PDB file of all heavy atoms in Angstrom:
ATOM      1  N   ILE A 128     -24.928   7.322   7.212  1.00 96.00           N
ATOM      2  CA  ILE A 128     -23.468   7.537   7.190  1.00 96.00           C
ATOM      3  C   ILE A 128     -22.720   6.541   8.076  1.00 96.00           C
ATOM      4  O   ILE A 128     -21.670   6.033   7.668  1.00 96.00           O
ATOM      5  CB  ILE A 128     -23.119   9.002   7.533  1.00 96.00           C
ATOM      6  CG1 ILE A 128     -23.714   9.924   6.473  1.00 96.00           C
ATOM      7  CG2 ILE A 128     -21.604   9.193   7.622  1.00 96.00           C
ATOM      8  CD1 ILE A 128     -23.590  11.405   6.780  1.00 96.00           C
ATOM      9  N   PRO A 129     -23.220   6.199   9.269  1.00 97.00           N
ATOM     10  CA  PRO A 129     -22.500   5.184  10.057  1.00 97.00           C
ATOM     11  C   PRO A 129     -22.357   3.846   9.324  1.00 97.00           C
ATOM     12  O   PRO A 129     -21.347   3.155   9.473  1.00 97.00           O
ATOM     13  CB  PRO A 129     -23.372   5.020  11.311  1.00 97.00           C
ATOM     14  CG  PRO A 129     -24.118   6.293  11.429  1.00 97.00           C
ATOM     15  CD  PRO A 129     -24.337   6.766  10.019  1.00 97.00           C
ATOM     16  N   PHE A 130     -23.328   3.518   8.498  1.00 97.00           N
ATOM     17  CA  PHE A 130     -23.263   2.260   7.757  1.00 97.00           C
ATOM     18  C   PHE A 130     -22.294   2.353   6.582  1.00 97.00           C
ATOM     19  O   PHE A 130     -21.697   1.353   6.193  1.00 97.00           O
ATOM     20  CB  PHE A 130     -24.666   1.836   7.324  1.00 97.00           C
ATOM     21  CG  PHE A 130     -25.553   1.565   8.510  1.00 97.00           C
ATOM     22  CD1 PHE A 130     -26.445   2.520   8.949  1.00 97.00           C
ATOM     23  CD2 PHE A 130     -25.452   0.377   9.207  1.00 97.00           C
ATOM     24  CE1 PHE A 130     -27.244   2.290  10.051  1.00 97.00           C
ATOM     25  CE2 PHE A 130     -26.243   0.124  10.314  1.00 97.00           C
ATOM     26  CZ  PHE A 130     -27.147   1.087  10.743  1.00 97.00           C
ATOM     27  N   TYR A 131     -22.142   3.550   6.012  1.00 97.00           N
ATOM     28  CA  TYR A 131     -21.090   3.749   5.008  1.00 97.00           C
ATOM     29  C   TYR A 131     -19.717   3.609   5.671  1.00 97.00           C
ATOM     30  O   TYR A 131     -18.786   3.076   5.069  1.00 97.00           O
ATOM     31  CB  TYR A 131     -21.197   5.114   4.332  1.00 97.00           C
ATOM     32  CG  TYR A 131     -22.387   5.274   3.414  1.00 97.00           C
ATOM     33  CD1 TYR A 131     -22.913   6.528   3.159  1.00 97.00           C
ATOM     34  CD2 TYR A 131     -22.984   4.191   2.790  1.00 97.00           C
ATOM     35  CE1 TYR A 131     -23.996   6.703   2.315  1.00 97.00           C
ATOM     36  CE2 TYR A 131     -24.064   4.346   1.949  1.00 97.00           C
ATOM     37  CZ  TYR A 131     -24.568   5.604   1.716  1.00 97.00           C
ATOM     38  OH  TYR A 131     -25.643   5.765   0.871  1.00 97.00           O
ATOM     39  N   LEU A 132     -19.600   4.103   6.891  1.00 98.00           N
ATOM     40  CA  LEU A 132     -18.348   3.954   7.636  1.00 98.00           C
ATOM     41  C   LEU A 132     -18.042   2.469   7.855  1.00 98.00           C
ATOM     42  O   LEU A 132     -16.912   2.028   7.640  1.00 98.00           O
ATOM     43  CB  LEU A 132     -18.426   4.688   8.980  1.00 98.00           C
ATOM     44  CG  LEU A 132     -17.266   4.470   9.951  1.00 98.00           C
ATOM     45  CD1 LEU A 132     -15.957   4.964   9.365  1.00 98.00           C
ATOM     46  CD2 LEU A 132     -17.553   5.168  11.283  1.00 98.00           C
ATOM     47  N   ILE A 133     -19.040   1.697   8.262  1.00 98.00           N
ATOM     48  CA  ILE A 133     -18.853   0.258   8.461  1.00 98.00           C
ATOM     49  C   ILE A 133     -18.464  -0.398   7.132  1.00 98.00           C
ATOM     50  O   ILE A 133     -17.550  -1.230   7.089  1.00 98.00           O
ATOM     51  CB  ILE A 133     -20.126  -0.385   9.049  1.00 98.00           C
ATOM     52  CG1 ILE A 133     -20.359   0.120  10.475  1.00 98.00           C
ATOM     53  CG2 ILE A 133     -20.038  -1.910   9.015  1.00 98.00           C
ATOM     54  CD1 ILE A 133     -21.729  -0.212  11.041  1.00 98.00           C
ATOM     55  N   GLY A 134     -19.135  -0.019   6.049  1.00 98.00           N
ATOM     56  CA  GLY A 134     -18.796  -0.547   4.731  1.00 98.00           C
ATOM     57  C   GLY A 134     -17.367  -0.205   4.330  1.00 98.00           C
ATOM     58  O   GLY A 134     -16.653  -1.038   3.762  1.00 98.00           O
ATOM     59  N   PHE A 135     -16.944   1.016   4.648  1.00 98.00           N
ATOM     60  CA  PHE A 135     -15.576   1.440   4.349  1.00 98.00           C
ATOM     61  C   PHE A 135     -14.571   0.585   5.120  1.00 98.00           C
ATOM     62  O   PHE A 135     -13.577   0.106   4.558  1.00 98.00           O
ATOM     63  CB  PHE A 135     -15.399   2.925   4.691  1.00 98.00           C
ATOM     64  CG  PHE A 135     -13.995   3.423   4.551  1.00 98.00           C
ATOM     65  CD1 PHE A 135     -13.435   3.616   3.304  1.00 98.00           C
ATOM     66  CD2 PHE A 135     -13.229   3.701   5.663  1.00 98.00           C
ATOM     67  CE1 PHE A 135     -12.127   4.079   3.162  1.00 98.00           C
ATOM     68  CE2 PHE A 135     -11.932   4.164   5.545  1.00 98.00           C
ATOM     69  CZ  PHE A 135     -11.380   4.345   4.291  1.00 98.00           C
ATOM     70  N   VAL A 136     -14.829   0.359   6.404  1.00 97.00           N
ATOM     71  CA  VAL A 136     -13.921  -0.449   7.229  1.00 97.00           C
ATOM     72  C   VAL A 136     -13.873  -1.886   6.703  1.00 97.00           C
ATOM     73  O   VAL A 136     -12.790  -2.478   6.607  1.00 97.00           O
ATOM     74  CB  VAL A 136     -14.344  -0.397   8.714  1.00 97.00           C
ATOM     75  CG1 VAL A 136     -13.578  -1.418   9.545  1.00 97.00           C
ATOM     76  CG2 VAL A 136     -14.142   1.005   9.272  1.00 97.00           C
ATOM     77  N   ILE A 137     -15.031  -2.447   6.363  1.00 97.00           N
ATOM     78  CA  ILE A 137     -15.063  -3.802   5.805  1.00 97.00           C
ATOM     79  C   ILE A 137     -14.222  -3.867   4.526  1.00 97.00           C
ATOM     80  O   ILE A 137     -13.417  -4.786   4.338  1.00 97.00           O
ATOM     81  CB  ILE A 137     -16.515  -4.249   5.518  1.00 97.00           C
ATOM     82  CG1 ILE A 137     -17.269  -4.471   6.820  1.00 97.00           C
ATOM     83  CG2 ILE A 137     -16.535  -5.525   4.660  1.00 97.00           C
ATOM     84  CD1 ILE A 137     -18.760  -4.670   6.629  1.00 97.00           C
ATOM     85  N   GLN A 138     -14.381  -2.883   3.651  1.00 96.00           N
ATOM     86  CA  GLN A 138     -13.653  -2.884   2.374  1.00 96.00           C
ATOM     87  C   GLN A 138     -12.149  -2.737   2.582  1.00 96.00           C
ATOM     88  O   GLN A 138     -11.359  -3.428   1.941  1.00 96.00           O
ATOM     89  CB  GLN A 138     -14.171  -1.774   1.467  1.00 96.00           C
ATOM     90  CG  GLN A 138     -13.536  -1.756   0.102  1.00 96.00           C
ATOM     91  CD  GLN A 138     -13.807  -3.012  -0.703  1.00 96.00           C
ATOM     92  OE1 GLN A 138     -14.882  -3.604  -0.607  1.00 96.00           O
ATOM     93  NE2 GLN A 138     -12.850  -3.440  -1.496  1.00 96.00           N
ATOM     94  N   VAL A 139     -11.737  -1.846   3.482  1.00 95.00           N
ATOM     95  CA  VAL A 139     -10.303  -1.667   3.748  1.00 95.00           C
ATOM     96  C   VAL A 139      -9.714  -2.948   4.338  1.00 95.00           C
ATOM     97  O   VAL A 139      -8.622  -3.373   3.941  1.00 95.00           O
ATOM     98  CB  VAL A 139     -10.062  -0.454   4.672  1.00 95.00           C
ATOM     99  CG1 VAL A 139      -8.635  -0.413   5.172  1.00 95.00           C
ATOM    100  CG2 VAL A 139     -10.405   0.849   3.942  1.00 95.00           C
ATOM    101  N   CYS A 140     -10.433  -3.569   5.258  1.00 95.00           N
ATOM    102  CA  CYS A 140      -9.950  -4.845   5.840  1.00 95.00           C
ATOM    103  C   CYS A 140      -9.859  -5.920   4.770  1.00 95.00           C
ATOM    104  O   CYS A 140      -8.891  -6.686   4.719  1.00 95.00           O
ATOM    105  CB  CYS A 140     -10.867  -5.292   6.973  1.00 95.00           C
ATOM    106  SG  CYS A 140     -10.744  -4.264   8.446  1.00 95.00           S
ATOM    107  N   TYR A 141     -10.865  -5.983   3.906  1.00 95.00           N
ATOM    108  CA  TYR A 141     -10.854  -6.968   2.833  1.00 95.00           C
ATOM    109  C   TYR A 141      -9.639  -6.752   1.920  1.00 95.00           C
ATOM    110  O   TYR A 141      -8.933  -7.716   1.599  1.00 95.00           O
ATOM    111  CB  TYR A 141     -12.156  -6.862   2.014  1.00 95.00           C
ATOM    112  CG  TYR A 141     -12.152  -7.737   0.783  1.00 95.00           C
ATOM    113  CD1 TYR A 141     -12.380  -9.103   0.888  1.00 95.00           C
ATOM    114  CD2 TYR A 141     -11.911  -7.196  -0.469  1.00 95.00           C
ATOM    115  CE1 TYR A 141     -12.368  -9.919  -0.235  1.00 95.00           C
ATOM    116  CE2 TYR A 141     -11.904  -7.999  -1.608  1.00 95.00           C
ATOM    117  CZ  TYR A 141     -12.130  -9.349  -1.482  1.00 95.00           C
ATOM    118  OH  TYR A 141     -12.096 -10.144  -2.589  1.00 95.00           O
ATOM    119  N   GLU A 142      -9.394  -5.506   1.527  1.00 91.00           N
ATOM    120  CA  GLU A 142      -8.243  -5.223   0.666  1.00 91.00           C
ATOM    121  C   GLU A 142      -6.934  -5.538   1.371  1.00 91.00           C
ATOM    122  O   GLU A 142      -6.005  -6.053   0.762  1.00 91.00           O
ATOM    123  CB  GLU A 142      -8.255  -3.742   0.245  1.00 91.00           C
ATOM    124  CG  GLU A 142      -9.335  -3.389  -0.743  1.00 91.00           C
ATOM    125  CD  GLU A 142      -9.387  -1.912  -1.043  1.00 91.00           C
ATOM    126  OE1 GLU A 142      -8.558  -1.138  -0.490  1.00 91.00           O
ATOM    127  OE2 GLU A 142     -10.258  -1.505  -1.815  1.00 91.00           O
TER     128      GLU A 142
END
Side-chain angles (χ1 to χ4, degrees):
I128 297 173
F130 297 99
Y131 290 154
L132 172 62
I133 293 168
F135 174 73
V136 170
I137 290 170
Q138 184 63 35
V139 169
C140 290
Y141 173 78
E142 289 175 1

